[in-house]
Amino acid sequence: EAQVTQNPRYLITVTGKKLTVTCSQNMNHEYMSWYRQDPGLGLRQIYYSMNVEVTDKGDVPEGYKVSRKEKRNFPLILESPSPNQTSLYFCASSSDRNTGELFFGEGSRLTVL
Amino acid sequence: GNSVTQMEGPVTLSEEAFLTINCTYTATGYPSLFWYVQYPGEGLQLLLKATKADDKGSNKGFEATYRKETTSFHLEKGSVQVSDSAVYFCALSSRGGGNKLTFGTGTQLKVEL
């Protein structure tokens, strides 16, 4: 089954404790990205990757890092989480760089105390 | 910059009622337009898209027409079902902007028996 898998689905953590949200897709997609969803703001792009070892900032990259060492994986790293990073995070992938047709994971709800 | 404005929700309808969810956009050039749907506890799924003026996207009984003169992409369905209850997001991607989507804030639809 074609899917984008995120882990963990739910996490409560404390300010400053480094964490990683993993994302893996089994569709051999070149393009992957991370979004955060906040009430009243819709989804905003954090980072994206066109291919292995190619990453770039989206609209709200502050406080986040990513890496793309393998085609299937695109982890999101919060080096020192803060309460304003409490959000619902979605990973997405696409077979094409320009269609806007994204496959989304089920989301990871992160709470930073 | 690009922006998408959707009608506020929640929208509550009886089964078999007609649905319209309004969406207007601001963008330079000729963007592609999308509707994504998010069912409870799940990630977003592409519902339909249109890539140029006067195009009509359709899927699962839903339709939306790309209206350049009114910068709109309203979502319609002739007869909604309880299973259509979800949050609907209007989005755009700029031509040449890759897969970066600008999302509206989402409209929650509740369909009751």
Side-chain angles (χ1 to χ4, degrees):
Chain A
E1 180 189 353
Q3 56 187 2
V4 178
T5 303
Q6 299 177 223
N7 280 295
R9 295 287 312 280
Y10 303 91
L11 179 63
I12 301 174
T13 189
V14 295
T15 299
K17 186 176 181 181
K18 180 180 179 180
L19 69 92
T20 299
V21 185
T22 63
C23 174
S24 180
Q25 51 91 6
N26 63 359
M27 295 169 280
N28 201 36
H29 286 171
E30 289 189 346
Y31 180 94
M32 297 184 75
S33 65
W34 277 101
Y35 285 83
R36 59 178 288 173
Q37 181 181 14
D38 301 291
L41 296 176
L43 282 83
R44 294 175 292 168
Q45 189 183 58
I46 304 171
Y47 268 95
Y48 66 96
S49 170
M50 293 286 200
N51 212 329
V52 176
E53 302 292 0
V54 180
T55 63
D56 210 343
K57 297 177 180 178
D59 293 325
V60 288
E62 296 78 20
Y64 304 95
K65 288 173 60 177
V66 293
S67 68
R68 188 89 183 274
K69 294 183 169 56
E70 305 166 282
K71 197 172 189 178
R72 64 183 294 130
N73 296 323
F74 190 45
L76 179 70
I77 303 156
L78 286 73
E79 293 273 2
S80 182
S82 62
N84 64 12
Q85 292 179 297
T86 293
S87 187
L88 179 58
Y89 292 87
F90 287 101
C91 181
S93 71
S94 178
S95 60
D96 189 285
R97 300 180 177 190
N98 289 299
T99 61
E101 297 181 21
L102 301 180
F103 288 83
F104 282 83
E106 293 183 320
S108 296
R109 184 166 294 280
L110 171 65
T111 301
V112 183
L113 302 175
Chain B
N2 296 338
S3 68
V4 175
T5 302
Q6 290 181 237
M7 60 189 290
E8 294 269 343
V11 174
T12 303
L13 296 174
S14 299
E15 202 169 43
E16 298 184 1
F18 185 86
L19 168 71
T20 299
I21 300 178
N22 291 336
C23 171
T24 57
Y25 68 89
T26 302
T28 53
Y30 303 93
S32 294
L33 301 174
F34 307 84
W35 277 100
Y36 277 81
V37 58
Q38 183 179 29
Y39 297 103
E42 299 184 9
L44 283 74
Q45 303 173 23
L46 178 64
L47 181 59
L48 53 84
K49 66 180 283 190
T51 58
K52 61 183 188 295
D54 300 324
D55 265 4
K56 177 185 284 188
S58 61
N59 187 23
K60 298 181 182 180
F62 291 89
E63 293 182 341
T65 300
Y66 189 143
R67 300 286 188 202
K68 192 172 188 319
E69 64 276 12
T70 54
T71 61
S72 65
F73 193 54
H74 304 321
L75 183 68
E76 296 181 335
K77 187 175 186 183
S79 176
V80 294
Q81 306 299 311
V82 172
S83 57
D84 293 326
S85 298
V87 180
Y88 292 82
F89 290 90
C90 186
L92 68 83
S93 68
S94 295
R95 203 154 304 279
N99 280 325
K100 180 174 181 292
L101 294 176
T102 299
F103 284 90
T105 54
T107 302
Q108 184 175 12
L109 170 66
K110 298 180 182 177
V111 181
E112 301 172 336
L113 290 171

